[in-house]
Amino acid sequence: MHIGPYRLSNRLILAPMAGVTDRPFRRLCRRYGAALAVSEMVSANPALRDDPKTLLRTDHVGEPGPHSVQILGNDPAEMAEAARINVDRGAQIIDINMGCPAKKVCNKAAGSALLQDEALVGRILAAVVGAVAVPVTLKIRTGWHPEHRNAPAIARIAEDSGIQAIAVHGRTRACGFAGEAEYRTIREVKRAVGIPVIANGDIDSPDKAAAVLAATGADAVMVGRAALGRPWLFRAMAARLDGLRPADAPAPAEVHAVMLEHLRELHALHGEYRGLRIARKHVAWYLQYLPCPPGFLPLFNGLDSAARQLALIDTLFDPHRAGVAA
């Protein structure tokens, strides 16, 4: 699959997730086989362009390319300027968010709320594509309500505007993340356009990745929540799509090393105060797939230093302790 001049190494993409897909997590998922990892969404609001959190979201130091940055907004001129600024900061692909269902986003007529205004969608896409020399991609939902699934129409607008790939989450804005994703609409999108189509939603195993590709005819799949706490899921999916037996779950020593590395990078990127807090949710996700002593997570969440967090993770993998991961 190509996005503009970039040839992806496989058909697996890490979805942008607010508060999750920062540089440490993107790097881990890329190492384990994601061909592309999209940044957290960045607001096009001019007042937030130099906000420290915004700058951290677009930090790509030491990260393999291509670097894809997702922008969010509803004003064509502001979105175009945001695209230019992020390209100047190192973005090699600009992704436009028209898929977020969060109320605080949709109440500002951004994210998936834009799917109700196809004319505005066209103006935003044309403005962004015209503003930058890098490829522009789009992420949408199947529509804004189960009775109003207009993703194929949006996809045709996108293709006509110069969008070079489109990711479709198999739920509407009204669905949020409830219920099961449906893939029929994604197949309709694939039939409607000639640009690459990326299927998203509930892709949580190697077999599911293969099944969704077969059912939709999509060019790639985008994995989001299923990768939380197990970035090695991409390695297993890549093997399955290559016709090989999916890799076994990593050995405890590998998980231990990954968790320590992840926490150290979170502490370094975000600073100790924020890094400690961000680490808590990632450790909770890792623990979903690990045996651990009762009370471990509350104990971890109460720690007040990076060193103590790392030391407690070490105890989780101590073979001399009962009920631990090893």
Side-chain angles (χ1 to χ4, degrees):
M1 175 179 162
H2 286 76
I3 298 179
Y6 301 108
R7 181 182 183 275
L8 302 190
S9 59
N10 61 38
R11 306 171 74 184
L12 301 169
I13 298 171
L14 173 66
M17 291 177 280
V20 176
T21 52
D22 56 10
R23 188 184 71 200
F25 192 65
R26 293 195 306 265
R27 279 166 50 97
L28 274 178
C29 291
R30 288 297 307 274
R31 182 196 306 166
Y32 276 103
L36 183 69
V38 186
S39 78
E40 302 175 72
M41 60 187 180
V42 176
S43 175
N45 183 343
L48 299 176
R49 286 175 187 160
D50 294 317
D51 181 82
K53 292 182 181 179
T54 296
L55 296 177
L56 283 179
R57 289 176 185 139
T58 56
D59 185 324
H60 302 286
V61 175
E63 184 179 355
H67 304 147
S68 178
V69 173
Q70 187 181 78
I71 59 175
L72 172 78
N74 61 10
D75 179 87
E78 288 185 358
M79 290 286 279
E81 181 63 14
R84 284 190 289 266
I85 289 171
N86 280 286
V87 169
D88 288 343
R89 290 174 175 172
Q92 296 167 299
I93 298 171
I94 293 293
D95 186 59
I96 298 174
N97 182 322
M98 293 189 183
C100 180
K103 289 183 179 179
K104 66 180 181 181
V105 170
C106 290
N107 287 345
K108 297 179 181 178
S112 57
L114 288 167
L115 300 177
Q116 298 176 86
D117 191 338
E118 294 180 7
L120 178 56
V121 167
R123 293 196 297 274
I124 291 173
L125 300 184
V128 174
V129 169
V132 293
V134 305
V136 181
T137 60
L138 174 65
K139 189 169 192 292
I140 65 170
R141 289 188 160 229
T142 54
W144 70 88
H145 189 276
E147 296 179 1
H148 299 283
R149 291 190 171 102
N150 62 336
I154 296 290
R156 286 188 285 267
I157 293 169
E159 184 173 38
D160 291 344
S161 300
I163 294 296
Q164 300 203 31
I166 182 167
V168 186
H169 182 102
R171 292 182 175 87
T172 67
R173 170 197 168 185
C175 294
F177 291 100
E180 294 183 1
E182 62 91 12
Y183 305 110
R184 183 183 62 229
T185 305
I186 300 177
R187 184 171 182 82
E188 292 173 4
V189 169
K190 179 59 184 172
R191 291 172 171 172
V193 296
I195 58 176
V197 174
I198 303 157
N200 176 225
D202 293 353
I203 300 169
D204 57 3
S205 71
D207 285 346
K208 188 65 175 288
V212 170
L213 285 170
T216 62
D219 300 274
V221 293
M222 179 172 276
V223 180
R225 292 172 293 166
L228 302 178
R230 50 173 185 166
W232 37 81
L233 178 62
F234 289 100
R235 180 171 63 188
M237 287 182 170
R240 174 67 175 81
L241 298 183
D242 285 341
L244 305 173
R245 186 177 69 85
D248 293 330
E254 183 179 356
V255 178
H256 185 190
V258 166
M259 291 181 70
L260 291 179
E261 177 187 350
H262 194 174
L263 266 60
R264 289 189 183 105
E265 290 200 7
L266 290 173
H267 300 151
L269 178 66
H270 296 285
E272 188 167 42
Y273 180 81
R274 290 195 68 239
L276 289 173
R277 286 148 181 80
I278 294 170
R280 292 169 184 166
K281 62 185 177 184
H282 282 281
V283 167
W285 288 323
Y286 283 113
L287 292 181
Q288 292 180 81
Y289 305 100
L290 295 172
C292 68
F296 181 91
L297 186 59
L299 179 60
F300 182 88
N301 289 343
L303 299 178
D304 59 1
S305 78
R308 289 180 177 177
Q309 281 192 343
L310 296 170
L312 187 59
I313 293 299
D314 283 337
T315 70
L316 184 62
F317 294 89
D318 185 343
H320 300 293
R321 292 174 179 260
V324 296

